[in-house]
Amino acid sequence: MKKITEIDPQTAAQQVLPMLDEISPSMCMAKWLWSSIHLTNGLTNSCFLPPLHKIDPKAVENNPRALHNTPEKKAQRKMMLKGEQPEGCNSCWKVEAQGKQLSDRAYRSSEPWAQQGWEEVIATGSEGDIDPTYLEVNFNHACNLACSYCSPHLSSKWAEDIEQNGPYPTKVPHNSIEYFKSIGHYPIPNREHNPYVEAFWKWWPELYPKLKHFRMTGGEPLMDKNTFRVLDYVLDHPRDDLNISITSNASVPKKNWDRFVDTVSFIDEYKKLESFRLYVSVDGWGEQAEYMRDGLDFELLWNNVNNYLTRTKDGLVTFIVTLNMLSMPSVKKLMQGILELQRIHNVKKTRRDDNGKLTYYGNHRVFVDTPALHYPAWQSLKVLPEEFWHYGDECLEFMKANTDKQRESRWVGFKPHQIKRFERSLDFMKQGFPTEQDKINAQENFVRFFEEYDKRRNLNFHKTFVEFSPYVKRWKKNAILTSS
Ligand code: SF4
C-alpha cells in the first residue's frame, strides 16, 4: 500500500483522498479505527462527530470488541464501502459539498494511527470486528469540579447540585437529571455493576498492543482507579510506539496528583511510551477562571502543571481553553502565562556559537488549543457584547507577535495552527446569533442561569466580572420588561 509521507496535516489530507477514492468516494478510516467509548453509560461513536449511540450490554458480555463494533457502526461501514454517505457523518458531507475545504474524513484518514491499520480495515470489511488504533474512553463521571457549562452526567459535583436543588431556572429548565436519563446518557451509579467497564478490562490485553493513541477523559480521570490501573499496566508492558494522554482539571487532591506525577515521571524516565500528554482544562486566568470552573484552585493548577513539567523530562501539556464569553477578559493573560511556561520548560539549554550568538536547544512541550464553546448557547462567545470583542483581537495580536518562528528560540511561541484555531473561534463569535430573538433569549438565559449559579455556589458574578456587570444588569432589566 502507498504510504502518506507528508507530515504537514493539510498536505497529508490531500494525499490521502485518491487513496480513499480507490476504495470508495465516501470511505473514512475513522469509522473502523477511531473510537470514543463512554464506559459510564455505554455510548459510542466514530469519530467524535456523528451522534453517540447505545452499546448493547448483552453483546459485550461474550465479545468485548462489541464496545466498538456496534451494529450501527457496521451498517455505516457497509454504506461507506458502497460509496454511500451515512447520515451521522453529515458534518463531513456538508464540508465536501461546499468544495472549499477538506473535511475531517481526509484529515483523520491521513493520520499515522489510520495509516497503520489500513490493510486490516480492508480485510475486516463491513461485517467483521476490528480493534481501534485511536481510542478515547471515560471510566467514571466522578469529578471534584462543577464547571458552569458542564452537566450532571459528566460531573458528580453537578449531579449533587441538581439532586439537591433541581434543574436551573432557564427558559427551558437546564441540566435536569430526568432529561439525561430519558435519552440514556445518565451514568450507571458507581455502586452498581457496570458491564461496559468489565468488558473493557476483558478486551484490554488484546487491544493494548494495537493502540497508537489512548486518551482517558472523565469526570476527572485522576480521581478514578481505572486510570492508575492503565498507568501501572504501562509500567509492566512498555510500548515505544504508543501515545497516552489524559484530560484533567489539574486541581485534584495532593495524594492523587503525587501518585500521578510519580508514575508518569517513571514512565518518562524509562521511556515506556512514545509520549505522554496531559490535557489541562482551563478557560481563563485567576479568580475568573475559578468562577467558570467552580471548585478550581487556579494557583494549585498552575503549580501542579509546573510540577509535572519539572518532574518529567519529556512530558507534554496541552491547555484546552474552551472559549466562552467569560474567558475573554483574561484570555490574553492566560496566553502570557503559557508563553512563560514554554520559556521555563521548553528550552533545555543555551550556548554561544563561535560568533557569540546565543543558540537554544529544547523541544516543544507546552501547547494550547482554543475551541469555541457552542453549548449552552447563553455562555458562548456569541453573547459577548461587541464592545468587548477587542479582548479577543488583542489576544490574537499577542499570539501573532509571539510565534515560534519569530522568536530567537524556536522552542518558545505559538504555532500557526494554534493561531488559526483561535482566529476561527473569534470568527464564530463575530457571526453572532442567527436572529435578534435568539440573542435576547441567550441574554435572558445568561441572567437566569448565573443568578442561580451564584446562589447555589456562593459566588458573585458582578464582583468577579466587574467589566460585564452593567451589561448584565441591563439584560436583566430587559428580561423583566419583556416578561411583564
Ligand atoms: S466521515 Fe467524517 S464524521 Fe464520519 S467518521 Fe469520518 S471523519 Fe468522522
Side-chain angles (χ1 to χ4, degrees):
M1 188 205 110
K2 219 172 128 195
K3 291 268 176 212
I4 297 289
T5 49
E6 265 301 327
I7 47 166
D8 165 55
Q10 181 144 353
T11 321
Q14 272 155 352
Q15 259 188 20
V16 87
L17 280 173
M19 293 163 63
L20 291 171
D21 275 349
E22 277 178 26
I23 305 169
S24 102
S26 59
M27 185 65 186
C28 176
M29 288 295 146
K31 195 57 76 192
W32 281 256
L33 295 172
W34 198 105
S35 193
S36 172
I37 305 176
H38 296 252
L39 298 166
T40 52
N41 50 15
L43 294 167
T44 183
N45 57 1
S46 321
C47 60
F48 58 89
L49 293 168
L52 288 163
H53 61 272
K54 198 76 192 150
I55 302 165
D56 178 0
K58 280 267 166 258
V60 301
E61 267 175 22
N62 299 318
N63 175 21
R65 289 169 121 195
L67 284 170
H68 167 50
N69 298 281
T70 57
E72 185 157 341
K73 285 188 200 173
K74 286 182 178 177
Q76 293 177 357
R77 291 171 189 167
K78 192 170 180 177
M79 290 179 76
M80 283 184 168
L81 288 172
K82 288 202 281 185
E84 295 166 8
Q85 299 184 335
E87 200 188 327
C89 298
N90 265 348
S91 48
C92 277
W93 316 134
K94 276 188 199 154
V95 173
E96 291 177 20
Q98 284 168 356
K100 289 190 196 138
Q101 284 176 359
L102 293 165
S103 67
D104 273 39
R105 183 173 77 91
Y107 283 104
R108 297 290 86 84
S109 300
S110 64
E111 288 170 5
W113 54 266
Q115 291 290 301
Q116 178 179 292
W118 199 284
E119 274 93 359
E120 209 183 333
V121 167
I122 309 288
T124 304
S126 62
E127 298 306 320
D129 286 351
I130 192 165
D131 293 319
T133 50
Y134 194 119
L135 176 63
E136 278 191 24
V137 300
N138 64 344
F139 290 107
N140 201 321
H141 83 310
C143 187
N144 54 334
L145 267 54
C147 307
S148 60
Y149 54 78
C150 193
S151 359
H153 69 304
L154 296 170
S155 154
S156 54
K157 271 270 170 231
W158 250 109
E160 274 173 30
D161 175 352
I162 299 295
E163 270 159 20
Q164 279 170 22
N165 308 301
Y168 276 60
T170 43
K171 288 171 83 125
V172 174
H174 179 61
N175 269 346
S176 147
I177 289 180
E178 293 320 310
Y179 167 73
F180 289 107
K181 282 186 178 163
S182 73
I183 58 167
H185 282 205
Y186 208 65
I188 298 169
N190 270 342
R191 58 187 179 279
E192 286 177 23
H193 170 243
N194 182 321
Y196 310 108
V197 174
E198 185 180 291
F200 174 84
W201 284 114
K202 264 197 223 158
W203 188 21
W204 181 245
E206 201 187 324
L207 170 69
Y208 179 75
K210 308 261 184 75
L211 290 170
K212 186 85 183 134
H213 287 269
F214 181 61
R215 181 166 175 177
M216 291 170 277
T217 65
E220 169 50 50
L222 294 184
M223 292 182 65
D224 186 88
K225 60 181 187 314
N226 290 289
T227 307
F228 291 99
R229 189 169 162 188
V230 168
L231 296 177
D232 288 345
Y233 192 89
V234 170
L235 293 176
D236 295 334
H237 304 82
R239 285 231 5 236
D240 60 8
D241 59 346
L242 172 63
N243 306 280
I244 289 192
S245 52
I246 65 160
T247 306
S248 171
N249 61 44
S251 190
V252 292
K254 186 172 174 351
K255 72 171 185 349
N256 301 50
W257 187 262
D258 287 347
R259 184 176 171 195
F260 162 65
V261 177
D262 285 349
T263 314
V264 174
S265 54
F266 194 85
I267 288 173
D268 178 74
E269 187 174 346
Y270 292 96
K271 308 239 170 295
K272 299 208 176 242
L273 287 174
E274 181 173 342
S275 74
F276 184 88
R277 185 180 296 266
L278 172 68
Y279 287 95
V280 177
S281 310
V282 64
D283 311 318
W285 185 265
E287 199 192 349
Q288 294 191 341
E290 289 175 350
Y291 183 93
M292 286 177 258
R293 301 180 66 80
D294 183 34
L296 168 69
D297 178 338
F298 184 81
E299 199 181 328
L300 177 66
L301 172 148
W302 211 254
N303 289 341
N304 279 344
V305 173
N306 261 301
N307 165 260
Y308 162 86
L309 286 165
T310 308
R311 293 220 24 225
T312 62
K313 222 165 32 121
D314 294 310
L316 307 171
V317 168
T318 298
F319 286 93
I320 304 287
V321 185
T322 305
L323 291 175
N324 64 91
M325 167 174 158
L326 301 185
S327 306
M328 296 320 269
S330 63
V331 69
K332 183 175 160 193
K333 186 137 184 13
L334 179 61
M335 294 300 167
Q336 288 167 333
I338 290 170
L339 201 65
E340 191 53 37
L341 280 183
Q342 292 184 341
R343 273 194 200 105
I344 300 168
H345 297 287
N346 289 8
V347 182
K348 298 251 191 284
K349 54 188 172 188
T350 59
R351 151 186 108 187
R352 290 205 181 273
D353 66 15
D354 296 344
N355 302 321
K357 191 169 179 289
L358 212 52
T359 316
Y360 294 81
Y361 295 88
N363 55 334
H364 265 291
R365 298 178 65 203
V366 184
F367 302 81
V368 64
D369 189 16
T370 51
L373 178 84
H374 285 242
Y375 182 83
W378 66 84
Q379 293 188 48
S380 86
L381 288 170
K382 289 183 191 288
V383 195
L384 186 73
E386 219 170 305
E387 292 86 329
F388 295 108
W389 285 2
H390 66 91
Y391 287 134
D393 297 332
E394 283 157 19
C395 182
L396 181 63
E397 283 316 305
F398 174 76
M399 291 173 83
K400 283 183 175 170
N402 287 284
T403 67
D404 61 350
K405 298 253 176 328
Q406 285 158 328
R407 305 184 59 85
E408 69 277 30
S409 155
R410 63 199 167 101
W411 308 116
V412 178
F414 300 99
K415 293 192 159 292
H417 71 269
Q418 294 169 339
I419 294 170
K420 270 257 161 297
R421 170 75 138 177
F422 190 82
E423 247 172 347
R424 278 208 306 273
S425 292
L426 294 189
D427 287 347
F428 167 79
M429 169 177 85
K430 290 176 184 176
Q431 278 159 15
F433 287 102
T435 66
E436 187 61 18
Q437 191 55 47
D438 290 332
K439 185 168 118 187
I440 292 166
N441 289 345
Q443 291 172 345
E444 180 171 347
N445 276 329
F446 186 101
V447 173
R448 285 167 173 252
F449 178 82
F450 282 109
E451 283 200 344
E452 186 70 14
Y453 185 74
D454 278 3
K455 263 192 241 152
R456 294 189 189 187
R457 312 292 176 83
N458 198 19
L459 293 167
N460 189 326
F461 176 85
H462 293 277
K463 270 196 183 150
T464 317
F465 293 92
V466 183
E467 50 281 81
F468 294 146
S469 182
Y471 289 79
V472 174
K473 283 180 180 156
R474 204 174 315 138
W475 295 350
K476 183 174 177 178
K477 220 161 126 196
N478 289 347
I480 294 168
L481 287 177
T482 320
S483 62
S484 59

